[in-house]
Amino acid sequence: MPVPIEYRDAAPDVRAVFDDIKRTRQVADVNNFWKYLAHDPVTLRRTWESVKEVMAPGKLDVLTKEMLYLAISVSNGCGYCIASHGAAARKAGMTEAMFGELMGVVGMANETNRLANGYRVPIDPMFEW
Amino acid sequence: MPVPIEYRDAAPDVRAVFDDIKRTRQVADVNNFWKYLAHDPVTLRRTWESVKEVMAPGKLDVLTKEMLYLAISVSNGCGYCIASHGAAARKAGMTEAMFGELMGVVGMANETNRLANGYRVPIDPMFEW
Amino acid sequence: MPVPIEYRDAAPDVRAVFDDIKRTRQVADVNNFWKYLAHDPVTLRRTWESVKEVMAPGKLDVLTKEMLYLAISVSNGCGYCIASHGAAARKAGMTEAMFGELMGVVGMANETNRLANGYRVPIDPMFEW
Amino acid sequence: MPVPIEYRDAAPDVRAVFDDIKRTRQVADVNNFWKYLAHDPVTLRRTWESVKEVMAPGKLDVLTKEMLYLAISVSNGCGYCIASHGAAARKAGMTEAMFGELMGVVGMANETNRLANGYRVPIDPMFEW
Amino acid sequence: MPVPIEYRDAAPDVRAVFDDIKRTRQVADVNNFWKYLAHDPVTLRRTWESVKEVMAPGKLDVLTKEMLYLAISVSNGCGYCIASHGAAARKAGMTEAMFGELMGVVGMANETNRLANGYRVPIDPMFEW
Amino acid sequence: MPVPIEYRDAAPDVRAVFDDIKRTRQVADVNNFWKYLAHDPVTLRRTWESVKEVMAPGKLDVLTKEMLYLAISVSNGCGYCIASHGAAARKAGMTEAMFGELMGVVGMANETNRLANGYRVPIDPMFEW
């Protein structure tokens, strides 16, 4: 089973990504996700560059993006991602009351997605614009 | 295959729900989802009451809730729900540029959820608070 | 794109499976699923033998088994499977009122599965027996 | 990480739901799922009212409903839900032999759902009624 | 509903990506996926750069990569992706007999994934290395 | 909670399957998956016969089949299956560098599957052949 690669043991290309993560996020160390991805420096670099671009504030603010990320992770049942993006969303300003409402939406969406499947509901012309 | 139940053919308990949907959403007619659920008046009523409660503005505004709903529907691949909640999110103020960023987050979350699974990344103690 | 393989065009090993399906189910022709699987006679035979064994009445009756099959297909969003197992469940005795209750369970299970994920609920000792 | 809310620490609105769960199910205490949902009393109440309505005996009996719930939970890979609804289904009368047949159906449905996807099987006209 | 953006109507940043796709894949025009993503030039560029890097021959050859991509798309039930990566895998050398075996693996993996979930099988120490 | 059934405690029909697994795979003992399935000898036998047929070398070699199996298991988030088929793929010759590329494909496929869903991309005529 792979072990996490710590900064002190990392090759220069991995260290460069770790440094950029720490600088961008203002953290003292990277979290386990990146230490495991470090086994594949190409995927490490590509994934970090993509996450950095996608999660930067733009037309959507960071809090909204982190809540979307968390909602998908809850829906998919990824334990690590629920923990890490739950922490990130809280850090970005999600209160427990907001988390409660987010969970309500995730639950209902998963329910009505199946109701629409099962009743084989055809798309209304007005939704086709 | 079930057919949609139109207002003119609906029983009083179904009409009551349709009326509340039309009043709450300020629309002239309900969309197909409700016309199909009407085959089961108990589920129709429960689902509408739940959706109304969950999607009302609270700690999260309506736009954020609709974007979360859309993101889950895209992730689950529910064609009807993508169309109907895509329309609802746009009506609530989602621009095409915001949709583009939302899709970026949905895509990356689905990617990194699998990277975390496959590398069997253990949860960092700092995420356990 | 593959085309369905009709009985008249089928090789003997495919015909043998088609004959067994028709005999077991008392139908005049096999449905499209089998006509497409016929492109791979090994998978056709294995899948049919497995389905026949799994769906035979045992400790669970045929109606219960078809409803379970339908519920999974709805949850997974498989359009073909919803149509074909919806028909099979109705043939086995599922009324529209039963279908409505089944859909209610499928919806709630998909909702509460996500609530349990998101709140990271630990398993109660009493459920570990 | 949220902690479970025990009855002694719960607010009156949460206690009211806990009391109804204990009365309805004839249990001495509620299971963890409800103790975590109690962080959001609105979702707690809505989810319990919905589960109570959906899982009450109707056109489908309680055992069939619990088996459907369990089958979806297994298919979705929700560990908590497999444990809790596995216990509930057994309490409602599911024997280990019945569980074995249920698992056979869940497995085959997940297999053939993908075979239908991959071969892009068109729906037979007879299934469109 | 978004319309595809054709080369003649595309902005320079979109054209640059389209040109690189056409050059890399030696095709006369890009397929619809890219024409829709073109509504969001940032996601278009990032997605293409990532796909190009991931799908280039490396320790795994192109055929193996395309079969993995197809297998995931079948498992997820993404209709567009099954069609496009089915075509790509065939172009890279996948015969119909190979597709049949791939489908057999996808089906069995989806089946046994659920059997492992439902029986709550603990990981063998020898798999933890 | 079921316990694993060891060879010494197994009935003759279970022992016969265990013997065939050990002989086919040249292992001293079967892994937990089979010891749990042994609670249902019919499913044990059917699952083993199917896995044996599907995973035998054919038009695809064993390494490719194990990598496909692993990719699906990662995508579905089945912890046991990721561990067991990760071990099987490595035994069949998958290096860590190959695993890294496999993970890259699994991640991108899960991302672009959602991009295709969300943009509701229509299938190109050239993919319909």
Side-chain angles (χ1 to χ4, degrees):
Chain A
M1 204 170 65
V3 293
I5 294 178
E6 300 294 339
Y7 189 88
R8 65 177 173 276
D9 306 317
D13 55 349
V14 168
R15 281 193 178 187
V17 175
F18 281 13
D19 283 334
D20 194 41
I21 297 173
K22 293 196 283 186
R23 196 164 41 232
T24 303
R25 297 188 165 174
Q26 296 289 323
V27 289
D29 193 10
V30 304
N31 53 300
N32 279 339
F33 180 73
W34 307 108
K35 294 180 184 176
Y36 279 75
L37 271 195
H39 287 277
D40 180 351
V42 172
T43 296
L44 173 69
R45 184 199 47 68
R46 184 183 65 249
T47 305
W48 167 243
E49 293 295 341
S50 293
V51 165
K52 186 167 61 166
E53 182 173 291
V54 165
M55 299 306 282
K59 301 300 183 185
L60 300 180
D61 56 42
V62 171
L63 172 58
T64 301
K65 288 184 173 187
E66 282 293 351
M67 289 195 298
L68 288 166
Y69 218 114
L70 175 58
I72 299 295
S73 302
V74 167
S75 188
N76 285 341
C78 175
Y80 183 82
C81 315
I82 293 168
S84 61
H85 286 279
R90 285 173 175 94
K91 193 175 169 185
M94 181 183 73
T95 63
E96 293 314 302
M98 292 163 75
F99 174 67
E101 294 198 8
L102 176 151
M103 286 297 299
V105 178
V106 173
M108 281 312 296
N110 271 288
E111 176 171 356
T112 60
N113 279 196
R114 273 65 187 201
L115 294 176
N117 287 345
Y119 279 98
R120 304 174 62 191
V121 185
I123 297 178
D124 306 71
M126 67 177 165
F127 294 149
E128 295 289 9
W129 45 297
Chain B
M1 204 169 64
V3 293
I5 294 179
E6 300 294 339
Y7 189 87
R8 65 178 173 276
D9 306 317
D13 56 348
V14 168
R15 281 194 179 186
V17 175
F18 281 15
D19 283 334
D20 193 42
I21 297 174
K22 293 196 283 187
R23 196 164 40 233
T24 303
R25 297 188 165 173
Q26 297 289 322
V27 289
D29 193 10
V30 304
N31 53 301
N32 279 339
F33 180 72
W34 307 107
K35 292 180 185 176
Y36 279 75
L37 271 196
H39 286 278
D40 180 351
V42 173
T43 296
L44 172 70
R45 185 200 47 69
R46 185 183 65 248
T47 305
W48 167 243
E49 293 295 340
S50 293
V51 165
K52 187 167 61 166
E53 183 173 292
V54 166
M55 299 306 283
K59 301 300 183 185
L60 301 180
D61 56 41
V62 171
L63 172 58
T64 301
K65 288 185 172 185
E66 283 293 351
M67 289 195 298
L68 288 165
Y69 218 113
L70 175 59
I72 299 295
S73 301
V74 167
S75 187
N76 285 342
C78 175
Y80 182 83
C81 315
I82 293 168
S84 61
H85 287 279
R90 285 173 175 94
K91 193 175 167 184
M94 181 183 74
T95 62
E96 293 313 302
M98 292 163 75
F99 174 67
E101 295 199 8
L102 176 151
M103 286 298 299
V105 177
V106 173
M108 280 313 295
N110 271 289
E111 176 171 357
T112 61
N113 279 198
R114 272 66 187 199
L115 294 176
N117 287 344
Y119 279 98
R120 305 173 62 191
V121 184
I123 297 178
D124 307 71
M126 66 176 166
F127 294 149
E128 295 288 8
W129 44 299
Chain C
M1 205 169 63
V3 292
I5 295 179
E6 300 294 339
Y7 189 87
R8 64 179 174 273
D9 306 316
D13 55 349
V14 167
R15 281 193 179 186
V17 175
F18 281 13
D19 283 335
D20 193 41
I21 296 173
K22 293 196 283 186
R23 194 164 43 233
T24 303
R25 297 188 164 174
Q26 297 289 323
V27 289
D29 193 10
V30 303
N31 52 302
N32 279 339
F33 180 74
W34 306 108
K35 293 180 184 176
Y36 279 75
L37 271 195
H39 286 277
D40 180 351
V42 172
T43 296
L44 173 70
R45 184 200 46 70
R46 184 184 66 249
T47 305
W48 165 244
E49 292 295 340
S50 294
V51 165
K52 186 166 65 166
E53 183 173 290
V54 165
M55 299 306 283
K59 300 301 183 184
L60 301 180
D61 55 41
V62 171
L63 172 58
T64 300
K65 289 185 171 185
E66 282 294 351
M67 290 195 298
L68 288 165
Y69 219 114
L70 175 59
I72 299 294
S73 301
V74 167
S75 188
N76 286 341
C78 175
Y80 183 82
C81 315
I82 293 168
S84 61
H85 286 279
R90 285 174 175 92
K91 192 174 169 185
M94 181 183 73
T95 63
E96 293 313 302
M98 293 163 74
F99 174 67
E101 295 199 7
L102 175 151
M103 286 299 298
V105 177
V106 173
M108 281 312 296
N110 271 289
E111 176 170 356
T112 60
N113 279 197
R114 272 66 187 202
L115 294 177
N117 287 344
Y119 279 98
R120 304 174 62 192
V121 184
I123 297 178
D124 306 71
M126 67 178 165
F127 294 149
E128 296 288 9
W129 45 299
Chain D
M1 204 169 63
V3 292
I5 294 179
E6 299 295 338
Y7 189 88
R8 65 177 174 274
D9 306 317
D13 56 349
V14 167
R15 279 194 180 186
V17 175
F18 281 14
D19 283 335
D20 193 42
I21 297 173
K22 292 196 284 187
R23 197 165 38 234
T24 304
R25 295 188 166 174
Q26 296 289 324
V27 289
D29 193 11
V30 305
N31 52 301
N32 279 339
F33 179 72
W34 307 108
K35 293 179 184 176
Y36 279 75
L37 271 196
H39 286 277
D40 179 352
V42 172
T43 296
L44 173 70
R45 184 199 48 70
R46 184 184 65 248
T47 306
W48 167 244
E49 293 295 340
S50 293
V51 165
K52 186 167 64 165
E53 182 173 292
V54 165
M55 299 306 282
K59 301 300 183 186
L60 301 180
D61 56 41
V62 171
L63 172 58
T64 301
K65 288 185 172 185
E66 282 293 351
M67 290 196 298
L68 288 165
Y69 219 114
L70 175 58
I72 299 294
S73 302
V74 167
S75 188
N76 286 340
C78 175
Y80 182 82
C81 316
I82 293 168
S84 62
H85 286 279
R90 285 173 175 93
K91 193 174 169 185
M94 181 183 74
T95 63
E96 294 313 303
M98 292 163 75
F99 174 68
E101 295 198 8
L102 176 150
M103 286 298 298
V105 177
V106 173
M108 282 311 296
N110 271 288
E111 176 171 357
T112 60
N113 280 197
R114 273 67 186 199
L115 294 176
N117 287 344
Y119 279 99
R120 305 174 62 192
V121 184
I123 297 178
D124 307 70
M126 68 177 164
F127 294 149
E128 296 287 9
W129 45 297
Chain E
M1 203 170 65
V3 292
I5 294 179
E6 299 295 338
Y7 189 88
R8 64 177 173 275
D9 306 316
D13 55 349
V14 168
R15 280 194 180 186
V17 175
F18 281 13
D19 283 335
D20 193 42
I21 297 173
K22 292 196 284 186
R23 195 164 42 232
T24 304
R25 295 189 166 173
Q26 297 289 323
V27 288
D29 193 10
V30 303
N31 53 300
N32 279 339
F33 180 73
W34 307 108
K35 293 180 185 177
Y36 279 75
L37 271 195
H39 286 277
D40 180 352
V42 172
T43 297
L44 173 70
R45 183 199 47 69
R46 183 183 67 250
T47 306
W48 166 244
E49 292 295 340
S50 293
V51 165
K52 186 166 64 165
E53 182 172 292
V54 166
M55 299 306 283
K59 301 300 182 184
L60 301 180
D61 56 41
V62 171
L63 172 58
T64 300
K65 289 185 172 186
E66 282 294 351
M67 290 195 299
L68 288 166
Y69 218 114
L70 176 58
I72 299 294
S73 301
V74 167
S75 189
N76 286 340
C78 175
Y80 183 82
C81 316
I82 293 168
S84 62
H85 287 279
R90 285 173 175 94
K91 193 174 169 185
M94 181 183 74
T95 64
E96 294 313 303
M98 292 163 76
F99 173 69
E101 294 198 7
L102 175 151
M103 286 298 299
V105 176
V106 172
M108 281 313 294
N110 271 290
E111 177 171 356
T112 61
N113 279 198
R114 272 67 186 199
L115 293 176
N117 287 344
Y119 279 99
R120 306 173 60 192
V121 184
I123 297 178
D124 307 71
M126 67 177 165
F127 294 149
E128 296 287 7
W129 45 297
Chain F
M1 204 169 64
V3 293
I5 295 179
E6 300 293 338
Y7 189 88
R8 63 179 174 275
D9 307 315
D13 55 349
V14 168
R15 281 194 178 185
V17 175
F18 281 15
D19 283 335
D20 193 41
I21 296 172
K22 294 196 282 186
R23 195 165 41 234
T24 304
R25 296 188 165 174
Q26 296 288 324
V27 288
D29 193 10
V30 304
N31 53 301
N32 279 340
F33 180 73
W34 306 107
K35 293 180 185 178
Y36 278 75
L37 270 196
H39 286 277
D40 180 351
V42 172
T43 296
L44 173 70
R45 184 199 46 70
R46 183 183 67 248
T47 305
W48 166 244
E49 293 295 340
S50 293
V51 165
K52 186 166 65 165
E53 183 173 292
V54 165
M55 299 306 284
K59 301 301 183 184
L60 301 180
D61 56 42
V62 171
L63 171 59
T64 300
K65 288 185 171 186
E66 283 293 351
M67 290 196 298
L68 288 166
Y69 219 114
L70 175 59
I72 299 293
S73 301
V74 167
S75 188
N76 285 341
C78 175
Y80 183 82
C81 316
I82 293 168
S84 62
H85 287 279
R90 285 174 174 92
K91 193 174 168 184
M94 180 183 74
T95 64
E96 294 312 304
M98 292 163 76
F99 174 68
E101 294 199 7
L102 175 150
M103 286 298 299
V105 177
V106 173
M108 281 313 295
N110 271 289
E111 177 171 357
T112 60
N113 279 197
R114 272 67 185 199
L115 294 177
N117 287 344
Y119 280 98
R120 304 172 63 192
V121 185
I123 297 178
D124 307 70
M126 68 179 164
F127 294 150
E128 296 288 9
W129 43 299

